[in-house]
Amino acid sequence: MSKEKLQFKVHSVRTMSSPYSKEDKDESTLETIYYLLVNMRDLPEGIPLDVNPRKPKMNTNVGKGLIAAVKEPETDFYINNRGIVISAKSLAFDPSNSVVTIDIGDQDNGLDQDLYGILDGGHTYTAIIRSRDEIPSDLDKYVRVEVITNVQNITRLSDARNTSMQVSDIALFNLDEKFEDVRNSISEQPFADRIAYKDNEDKDIHVSALLRLLYAFDIERYPDDSTAPVQSFSGKAQVFKRYSAAYDTQFYKSLTKQLPKLAKLYDLIEIELPQKYKEYKEAQGVKPRFGHVRGIESLDKAVPSAIFATPTKYQISSGYIYPIFGAFRSLLKYDETTGEVSWLFDPIDMWNEIGTSLVQNTFETSSNPQMAGKDKQLWLANYRIVETQSLRKLLQSRH
C-alpha cells in the first residue's frame, strides 16, 4: 500500500450511483457509494483514521467485544457488524483479479487527511487488524466496507455517521469546565443562552459552531496566504481537536475574546450577501437571480440567521459564507509580548467597503457551495482581496 492508494482483493462489489446524475451533468459534484465484502485477511493495514472524529479505544467493553467477535469461530460477523466506512477520492475495480484500488489522497497533505480515510468503523477496523491472526486457519471471515467517493460535505457525513461519539468528546470537555473562556466571551451576547454544550441539549446552536469561527481566524496555524483554514467549513472534528489542544494557550485565550466580533461578522455576511450579490450583478448589467443559485433558497417568509437570529428571506449554504468570512483573518494580528490579538482595521468596516468584491469573486469562482467551501484557492484569493485593501488603507493613512 502506498501513501495514496489502497489496493486489496474483495469478495464482491456493488455500486450505487448518485440518483441525481441525470439532473447534474457535472460528475465532480456527484457521490458514488461502493459496497464491498472483504475477507478480513485481505484488509490492508495502515488505513488512515484522521478523518474519524474519535480515535479507537480498544480497552472499553465495546472494543473488547469487537476483538472477541473477530476471533470467534463464527461466520456472521459481516451481518452483525455495521462495518467500515471510507471516504475516498476515487475507486477502481479490476474484475479479472477481484481487486479494488482506492485513492485516499496525499496523506502528507493536511486537507486530504481531513477528507479521506476511515470515517466510521475505526473500532471495527482496529479490532480486525489486531486480532485477525487469531482467526481459525480453516475459516474465512468477512467484513462489510462502504466506500463513498467525492463526498461533497464531509462534515454532514461525519455528523450523520459519528455524531454521538464526537459530541460525547465535546460534552466531556464541557464537564471539565474547559469552555469557560467561550462562555465568558459571549455572556452578554443575545445568543448566549442558545448555545448547547451538552449531549442532547435542546438548544439550536452547538458550541462547535463557535469553535469553527475561531478556527477560521487561527493565524497561528494559518498566518498568511500560503494556506487556508478550509477545515473550519469541512472538518468539524479537526476543529475541535485543534481547540482542545490549544484552548489554554495565550493566543487562543485572546482569540476567544473576539468571538462576539466574529459572530457579528458572520451574521452580517449571511444577511447582506444577497444585496452584495445584487450589486455586483447589476454593475455587470446582469439581472440578479440570487434565489436561483445552487445552495440558495429563497423563502416566502423570513427565517432567523444562524447565530443572531436576524430575520432573512434567504437560506444560504455556509459553503459560500466561510470563504468570505475567513478572508478577514488577514486583518488580525497577534502580539506575543502582550499576548493579545488586535485588528489592523475593523473587519465589519472592511466588509462594508469590499464585500461586493468578495461576493463577486466567490460566486464567479464556484456555483457549487460544497466545492466553494473547501476550495483552497478561493479562500486564498478572498484573503488577498482583504489584504490588498488593508495595505491600500495603510498607505493612504501615511499621506
Side-chain angles (χ1 to χ4, degrees), residues 203-375:
K203 297 184 177 182
D204 62 335
I205 306 174
H206 196 270
V207 65
S208 58
L210 301 183
L211 304 189
R212 291 168 72 185
L213 301 184
L214 294 175
Y215 192 93
F217 282 75
D218 188 343
I219 56 173
E220 253 193 0
R221 180 168 280 194
Y222 304 97
D224 50 37
D225 65 351
S226 64
T227 186
V230 176
Q231 292 90 339
S232 59
F233 166 72
S234 64
K236 190 158 74 173
Q238 284 68 35
V239 168
F240 174 65
K241 189 185 300 182
R242 167 62 173 161
Y243 183 80
S244 62
Y247 78 98
D248 210 24
T249 64
Q250 193 58 48
F251 167 68
Y252 247 80
K253 281 183 170 293
S254 181
L255 180 62
T256 302
K257 294 176 185 176
Q258 297 295 329
L259 267 175
K261 174 76 74 176
L262 298 180
K264 183 61 180 174
L265 175 63
Y266 187 96
D267 192 78
L268 202 59
I269 295 171
E270 181 182 359
I271 294 301
E272 296 187 354
L273 199 151
Q275 178 60 31
K276 303 291 187 188
Y277 181 90
K278 180 173 182 285
E279 289 171 5
Y280 110 72
K281 282 294 188 181
E282 289 180 342
Q284 295 180 334
V286 177
K287 183 179 179 180
R289 294 167 59 85
F290 188 65
H292 293 270
V293 176
R294 182 175 184 169
I296 309 294
E297 187 176 356
S298 180
L299 306 169
D300 294 329
K301 190 167 72 172
V303 295
S305 62
I307 300 177
F308 277 87
T310 310
T312 175
K313 288 203 170 183
Y314 290 97
Q315 283 191 330
I316 304 171
S317 170
S318 62
Y320 291 130
I321 299 174
Y322 266 97
I324 297 173
F325 173 74
F328 293 91
R329 82 181 191 285
S330 66
L331 303 176
L332 196 66
K333 303 300 172 189
Y334 177 58
D335 188 329
E336 292 186 0
T337 303
T338 63
E340 295 295 329
V341 299
S342 59
W343 299 96
L344 271 176
F345 299 100
D346 189 301
I348 291 174
D349 291 343
M350 188 68 81
W351 161 252
N352 292 332
E353 292 177 21
I354 59 169
T356 303
S357 296
L358 290 167
V359 171
Q360 177 175 351
N361 186 61
T362 299
F363 283 90
E364 290 189 350
T365 299
S366 180
S367 58
N368 180 335
Q370 302 309 323
M371 301 295 284
K374 58 186 181 183
D375 185 340

